[in-house]
Amino acid sequence: DQQVKQNSPSLSVQEGRISILNCDYTNSMFDYFLWYKKYPAEGPTFLISISSIKDKNEDGRFTVFLNKSAKHLSLHIVPSQPGDSAVYFCAASDRGSRLTFGEGTQLTVNP
Amino acid sequence: GAGVSQSPSNKVTEKGKDVELRCDPISGHTALYWYRQSLGQGLEFLIYFQGNSAPDKSGLPSDRFSAERTGGSVSTLTIQRTQQEDSAVYLCASSPSRVEGSPLHFGNGTRLTVT
């Protein structure tokens, strides 16, 4: 039972353009959502988060949008840079319990 | 400052052998998690320690897997009688408290290969 799903295993964009990574969830009890970035041979690193009481959170080039009615969140990166190339994981938690992760999306930003 | 440290970084073992994976969390972090990532898969939750509470073991895939956390700090994940399907990257993470406002800090993982 995959409660957090990232349906796109990969995404390729040109440098300077917008990257949009999507994530869907099924558990309506999830109330906190995070995005992590992972480079090869390294552990995931925290990128940005959003509480269910908000619908948008912005941090520099990164913005996360939450649509609770659709149980959907997205990460926007603009402008995209080659150094953003990594695997991006969406994660969710239920009242501070363990994080449930999606399968990840490999983002490639081409120079 | 030191991050989450995991050892060994790589482990190759024969099927049927036992292995121990170690995690040193960030000092002062009360929450500690073990996840694993199999090839081409997402992060699969294994076990969660929070302070002195009983651990959440609901993600352990079989009774061959166990974990302990001594003194609220170092944790060891033990896999007995390893099988080839146990091959994965095992990731440890810690956080100061609960998830909100204190995202998990991950180590670089232990890549386990069972031959």
Side-chain angles (χ1 to χ4, degrees), chain B residues 6-100:
Chain B
Q6 291 188 245
S7 60
S9 55
N10 281 284
K11 176 73 177 177
V12 180
T13 190
E14 291 181 354
K15 176 181 173 181
K17 301 281 189 183
D18 298 352
V19 295
E20 283 191 354
L21 312 180
R22 178 186 169 103
C23 173
D24 284 89
I26 294 172
S27 178
H29 282 193
T30 60
L32 187 146
Y33 303 74
W34 284 97
Y35 286 82
R36 74 175 176 182
Q37 184 180 18
S38 303
L39 189 63
Q41 303 295 313
L43 277 67
E44 175 190 4
F45 167 79
L46 297 177
I47 188 168
Y48 162 47
F49 297 89
Q50 173 59 272
N52 295 321
S53 303
D56 176 356
K57 303 180 181 180
S58 59
L60 295 178
S62 77
D63 59 8
R64 296 186 295 105
F65 287 72
S66 62
E68 61 178 22
R69 188 178 184 191
T70 54
S73 180
V74 172
S75 177
T76 302
L77 177 69
T78 301
I79 309 173
Q80 296 178 310
R81 305 180 302 281
T82 52
Q83 304 293 312
Q84 287 185 331
E85 62 261 28
D86 300 334
S87 295
V89 176
Y90 288 80
L91 291 158
C92 175
S94 69
S95 73
S97 59
R98 294 163 68 85
V99 172
E100 291 93 344

Side-chain angles (χ1 to χ4, degrees), chain A residues 32 36 43 95-99, chain B residues 35 45 58 98-100 104 107:
Chain A
Y32 194 69
Y36 280 80
R95 291 163 293 170
S97 66
R98 69 196 196 199
L99 286 183
Chain B
Y35 286 82
F45 167 79
S58 59
R98 294 163 68 85
V99 172
E100 291 93 344
L104 275 58

Side-chain angles (χ1 to χ4, degrees), chain A residues 49-64:
Chain A
S49 63
I50 188 167
S51 165
S52 61
I53 63 173
K54 295 186 175 182
D55 55 17
K56 177 182 175 181
N57 188 26
E58 193 171 350
D59 183 2
R61 296 185 297 113
F62 302 91
T63 303
V64 56

Side-chain angles (χ1 to χ4, degrees), chain A residues 1-110:
Chain A
D1 177 26
Q2 189 69 23
Q3 297 188 57
V4 178
K5 283 196 68 64
Q6 295 175 253
N7 291 314
S8 298
S10 63
L11 174 68
S12 184
V13 300
Q14 286 299 120
E15 182 177 5
R17 305 295 290 270
I18 185 171
S19 295
I20 300 176
L21 298 133
N22 292 303
C23 178
D24 297 291
Y25 61 95
T26 58
N27 187 344
S28 58
M29 298 303 293
F30 286 147
D31 58 1
Y32 194 69
F33 304 88
L34 307 89
W35 285 93
Y36 280 80
K37 179 167 75 171
K38 185 181 184 301
Y39 293 117
E42 295 183 9
T45 54
F46 169 72
L47 195 55
I48 193 169
S49 63
I50 188 167
S51 165
S52 61
I53 63 173
K54 295 186 175 182
D55 55 17
K56 177 182 175 181
N57 188 26
E58 193 171 350
D59 183 2
R61 296 185 297 113
F62 302 91
T63 303
V64 56
F65 294 92
L66 176 63
N67 182 334
K68 288 187 291 295
S69 61
K71 294 192 178 66
H72 177 83
L73 67 156
S74 62
L75 174 68
H76 293 208
I77 307 173
V78 56
S80 302
Q81 299 173 354
D84 296 330
S85 297
V87 177
Y88 288 78
F89 289 99
C90 164
S93 81
D94 167 10
R95 291 163 293 170
S97 66
R98 69 196 196 199
L99 286 183
T100 300
F101 285 85
E103 308 94 324
T105 297
Q106 171 70 58
L107 173 66
T108 302
V109 181
N110 302 302

